[in-house]
Amino acid sequence: MLDNISRTQRVLRYRDNDKVISKIMRGMPYYEVEKQEQVGEESENLVIRGECLSACAYLKEQGIKVDLVYIDPPFASGADYAKKINIRRNPKLAEKIKKAEEELEIEELKEFEETMYGDIWQKEDYLNWMYENLMAIKSILSESGTIYLHIDGKIGHYVKILMDEVFGEENFRNEIIWHYDIGTAPKTDFKRKHDTIFRYSKNHEEIVFNIITINAKNEDRYDNVDDNGRKYMVRGDTGKIVYSDEGQKEDDVWTYYKSDEFRTLNSMAKERTEIGYSTQKPEALVQRIVNASSNEFIENEDGSKRKMIVADFFGGSGVTAKVANDLGRKFIHADIGINSIQTTRDRLVAAGANFQVLEIKDGVSLFRNPQQTMDKLAKLIPGLQQKVPGVGKFWFGALQDSKLGTVPVYVPNLIDGSEKVLDIPAVNRIINEELQKLDINAQKAIVYYVDVDDRKALEKFIKDNNATQTTIELKDLKEILHAIVVEDEVETKTTQTKESFEVEIVKFVSDRLNQKINDFNEKGNLQAINKGKKFSPIIISEEGLELIEYLSLDCENAEGVWTSSSEIKIDKLGYISINGQKTKDFWNGKISADKKPLRLKIRNISGDETIKVFE
Ligand SMILES: C[S@@+](CC[C@H](N)C(=O)[O-])C[C@H]1O[C@@H](n2cnc3c(N)ncnc32)[C@H](O)[C@@H]1O
């Protein structure tokens, strides 16, 4: 039988990958970028709120190339990542609480959850999205640059094929196994205790690489001791003497609990950011990558030197930026979620870093992050029903109209940024494929867009090419999106003393949070009734100060860029950090600055920001 194997040439394809190629040919959308804040001294370090694609487009336009990229994108793991939200202590009650401290343990502090980002994808959609991101990253990676992509065993092998295609098989350098010691033991499988990190260089001639050595893994092998008390072994094959304290070249299996350097991972708890990013990676892991594949400086062609740039376009809690800064590299952090930007900003402030905060203005007022915005949208389009029979998953849902019957509604998926621009190929797909696939007789369909190049041209295209009976109405999604983002309200009292200006927060009201808390209480109550248990609801005080996580007084505004002169961050136990420095004090509901404050910025415990400008 084996003699009869016939080989046919197979081309690896996955569903819809031709659409990605056509999207890439159409180009990346490029949006305006606004500088939000300067932290510390003028610097080229960047914290960018925006998608990986848009951040790369911005760097490309600015002619910025990066030398090392570490990314840890969503793994398509099927999980919804959630942020734990902790109600802070009410400063008005701080004194009382201080006394009752012993009884009031952490578990009593009320917390609830909020989706940070969804990681639920169809495999094909995920790979298409990843392909675009990799293409974008490649276009801003310097010639001697390296990319490390952190992924898991479920999807990693597919992603490697994409990387081979984008970066070239000849540039594949390592598949690193990061072997950790956390996680549960399934009953019918081996424990899953590793992630994979693919390392590719931009080309295979100019590679920046520093060998990493680790301390002896197996002390028993060093069975000789020299006159100075140093342990050594004699290599059987070469007769070479190897000392135990010399270190060994690290291989591609990074087992954290077997090397000294990684043993520090046990202290990961200390690094944990307030927000509790469940996917937060340890600094030691990224340190090793930064040390191996970058130096502080690199020589330009003309012999001058420049600092190397380390970038992370799925930056999360800011581990890469923090490590790069510690090691004297320049850094670029990008992430789509507001919580990531805030966590990273605060982490870098505490580390004394200098950087700019930029925001990519892509016309979308996101409600915290794309996932939460999509969740909200379903409720905001009046009458919209999701999962309507006969209307496939391409459509966001449908409306029921008394005259027109079922009206399918298309909404671009904000999680896949490239869908935001409605262009002719996208409309072509709607009229020539998706309308025909409907199992209902639709007289009308509504197509929402965030961005169009030329609405008239689109309308003409529809008129000339729509062979179906369905009329298409184009609608601007931004109008609905703007309605989502409502600011919280704050009442303040300012007093001026000889030395400083003091602003007292008298009252803080957040409808968004109140709604969330009400939902939480209702659900909790219902569950408790069903289980015959008692439920103690979250009750927010009249002043509402326990809903505040951070506040700053901005006293300078140079050419529209704000600089905070004084800032307070309240941790989940109620202790405050002032200008990045931790204290053992509780917040007293006030903030002061030396200069006259121009505006007050408040971040609530879910990450929504509210700004009050002083007259
Ligand atoms: C696995 S987490 C990264 C964790 C990070 N390595 C750390 O140690 O904290 C993935 C991050 O990607 C972000 N993200 C998802 N889609 C994105 C996109 N298109 N562009 C930029 N960031 C995105 C999410 O908001 C999330 O913070």
Side-chain angles (χ1 to χ4, degrees), residues 50-52 70 72-74 117 129 277 279-281 313-319 335-337 340:
E51 284 178 324
C52 169
Y70 166 77
D72 169 25
Y117 65 92
W129 171 83
Y277 249 89
T279 56
Q280 181 175 342
K281 301 299 176 293
F313 298 102
F314 298 86
S317 68
V319 62
D335 199 288
I336 187 66
S340 155

Side-chain angles (χ1 to χ4, degrees), residues 444-479:
K444 179 172 147 181
I446 297 177
V447 173
Y448 277 100
Y449 63 85
V450 172
D451 207 353
V452 275
D453 271 344
D454 185 345
R455 189 173 160 150
K456 285 224 168 74
L458 272 189
E459 277 164 356
K460 182 168 183 321
F461 180 86
I462 294 173
K463 199 163 156 242
D464 296 347
N465 295 280
N466 186 4
T468 65
Q469 300 299 314
T470 318
T471 54
I472 291 193
E473 186 182 349
L474 299 181
K475 275 192 163 175
D476 191 343
L477 189 66
K478 292 196 288 294
E479 282 155 26

Side-chain angles (χ1 to χ4, degrees), residues 291-450:
N291 279 326
S293 291
S294 73
N295 296 308
E296 231 183 303
F297 295 97
I298 188 166
E299 212 166 274
N300 291 320
E301 273 177 16
D302 62 3
S304 60
K305 279 180 171 178
R306 64 170 180 82
K307 274 206 163 197
M308 289 185 95
I309 305 180
V310 178
D312 188 338
F313 298 102
F314 298 86
S317 68
V319 62
T320 313
K322 159 76 167 56
V323 166
N325 186 62
D326 287 350
L327 297 174
R329 287 20 168 203
K330 275 204 227 166
F331 62 81
I332 295 174
H333 166 104
D335 199 288
I336 187 66
I338 185 77
N339 299 119
S340 155
I341 301 304
Q342 292 164 345
T343 307
T344 302
R345 181 202 173 279
D346 298 348
R347 192 172 184 183
L348 292 169
V349 166
N354 301 315
F355 57 97
Q356 307 174 34
V357 183
L358 305 180
E359 186 165 329
I360 294 181
K361 295 279 170 188
D362 54 6
V364 194
S365 310
L366 285 182
F367 182 69
R368 297 182 195 140
N369 57 40
Q371 183 65 46
Q372 286 202 38
T373 313
M374 291 305 287
D375 293 348
K376 269 245 144 64
L377 265 181
K379 293 191 200 113
L380 279 169
I381 299 176
L384 185 100
Q385 289 173 340
Q386 291 187 294
K387 297 197 183 115
V388 176
V391 179
K393 80 173 178 44
F394 170 82
W395 303 90
F396 193 56
L399 307 177
Q400 298 301 338
D401 186 289
S402 53
K403 282 196 207 117
L404 301 168
T406 304
V407 177
V409 175
Y410 166 80
V411 169
N413 180 5
L414 298 172
I415 296 159
D416 179 355
S418 56
E419 284 191 14
K420 280 182 213 149
V421 188
L422 187 72
D423 55 8
I424 288 185
V427 168
N428 188 34
R429 174 175 177 190
I430 293 173
I431 53 183
N432 285 323
E433 285 179 39
E434 300 300 339
L435 283 182
Q436 334 244 344
K437 279 196 223 152
L438 286 170
D439 274 342
I440 52 156
N441 211 346
Q443 294 191 48
K444 179 172 147 181
I446 297 177
V447 173
Y448 277 100
Y449 63 85
V450 172

Side-chain angles (χ1 to χ4, degrees), residues 93-154:
L93 300 176
E95 279 311 306
K96 264 198 227 161
I97 290 172
K98 217 171 187 175
K99 282 186 209 130
E101 183 109 82
E102 258 96 285
E103 299 112 70
L104 236 170
E105 279 307 323
I106 305 178
E107 45 292 2
E108 290 194 37
L109 296 173
K110 302 286 182 194
E111 56 180 40
F112 55 107
E113 291 203 335
E114 180 111 67
T115 322
M116 285 232 276
Y117 65 92
D119 198 358
I120 302 165
W121 300 70
Q122 295 282 344
K123 199 187 290 139
E124 295 84 3
D125 293 342
Y126 176 80
L127 293 173
N128 288 343
W129 171 83
M130 187 57 100
Y131 189 85
E132 292 168 8
N133 285 307
L134 293 175
M135 289 293 281
I137 292 173
K138 186 186 174 196
S139 69
I140 47 100
L141 191 60
S142 72
E143 279 312 300
S144 58
T146 311
I147 175 168
Y148 287 75
L149 181 139
H150 193 134
I151 201 85
D152 71 0
K154 253 197 207 149

